[in-house]
Amino acid sequence: MKGNVIHYFAGDHTAKGFFTLYDSCFQDTGLIYKLHGTSPGVKSRLMKRLVEASLKKGMAVEMIHRSSDPEELDGVILPGLNIGFVDGDCFMGNGKVIDTDVALDKDQLAIHEDEILGLKEKIENEFSSAHASFATGLHIHDGLEEIYINQMDFSKANQLAVDLNDRFFDGVAATGRTAIVKHRFFGASTPQGVMDYIDNLTDGLDKRYFIKGRAGTGKSTLLKKVAGAAEELGFNIEMYHCGFDPESMDMVVVRELGFCIFDSTDPHEYFPDRDGDEIVDIYEKAVTPGTDENYATAIMELNRSYKSYMKNGIVILQEAKRLHDELEQIYAAATDDSKVDALFDQLNAT
């Protein structure tokens, strides 16, 4: 395939429920096609075909993956054409509605109505159980954060943020524009486990800063300060939220200045492997030396406990996917492929 493609999520099953950022992702997209219909599979199938056709034309593409099944898509953006396609169940904004149910045999679906409703209810119950498990994990994780918060020198952490912003923006002229800030997830909790697209999203950047630290050491706060400085100067920003606690930030990308800075700790731990990579170690700079050793037993137990709830949540998501696959089999049997082809031709002609 030709063309450039980036991958990310706009919704995730988190400790605070299903957290959506779809509206932010499409905020500056001129024409949005909202795919409304019963089968998520049909909508994803259409979008994957649009991606393939667009890449063959050498176009840039943004693929928005579905966290409950990352092989499927919730949305596609073609920046060069300023056009987007999105599952209408995800996106609350305005757009041109495309009815994908024209490809389904409604009489055949009616035969399975009770089974469909039963599967949908079971899937929602599984999602709720996963969220509850993640929430328990986050509550335990708060105890881990408390250990490090109590050992932090916040004046040093604040100075680190000042020093980094001086390094990033000193001598950089304001653009005179109002910054566009897009909120996304670079990773998610999925039935396949916790996964991320950091390598893809940071490919081609001149500088990558890997934040090392511990829970509660101010990584998210530092990222927000960097983003704030970039926004004040009018640079467009990509802000990537934590897939565990979506009110925290895990990465900031400022493509116009060719850099990113991200939380490079478990479960998305990376190390420098190319020119322009650099570590920023908050633990080393702002935490009382010996904290890991002095609290080793408590840290080990809290890590083990919160991770067990995270793993349990993943197992629950696997069951939700199994049920969803059953549901999609019903939809697939009622799908007229020739009508899907006609929908694709209609969308691809835009």
Side-chain angles (χ1 to χ4, degrees), residues 32-33 38 44 54 76 102 108 111 122 125 132 134 137 149 156 158 179 191 199 210 245 253 265 313 315 332 336 339:
I32 301 171
Y33 288 90
T38 308
S44 175
S54 299
V76 172
V102 297
Q108 187 170 342
I111 297 172
K122 289 179 181 177
N125 287 339
F134 293 149
I149 288 171
K156 290 181 179 179
N158 290 335
D199 270 341
F210 298 61
D245 178 2
V253 178
T265 59
V315 171
D336 185 329
K339 292 181 179 178

Side-chain angles (χ1 to χ4, degrees), residues 13 68 122-132 316-317 320:
H13 294 280
S68 58
K122 289 179 181 177
I123 291 167
E124 288 305 313
N125 287 339
E126 295 297 332
F127 284 152
S128 294
S129 296
H131 301 159
I316 297 170
L317 290 179

Side-chain angles (χ1 to χ4, degrees), residues 123-163:
I123 291 167
E124 288 305 313
N125 287 339
E126 295 297 332
F127 284 152
S128 294
S129 296
H131 301 159
S133 190
F134 293 149
T136 301
L138 181 59
H139 178 70
I140 296 167
H141 190 268
D142 288 343
L144 186 62
E145 288 190 349
E146 187 176 354
I147 291 174
Y148 290 103
I149 288 171
N150 290 335
Q151 300 300 315
M152 279 286 291
D153 185 330
F154 289 100
S155 65
K156 290 181 179 179
N158 290 335
Q159 187 59 49
L160 175 60
V162 170
D163 292 344

Side-chain angles (χ1 to χ4, degrees), residues 24-33 54 59-62 76-85 94-96 180 182 350:
S24 178
C25 296
F26 286 89
Q27 63 183 280
D28 64 339
T29 304
L31 177 59
I32 301 171
Y33 288 90
S54 299
M59 299 168 62
V61 176
E62 297 179 12
V76 172
I77 297 175
L78 307 177
L81 297 179
N82 203 19
I83 292 176
F85 306 87
N94 295 323
K96 184 174 181 179
I180 297 172
K182 292 189 176 181
T350 58

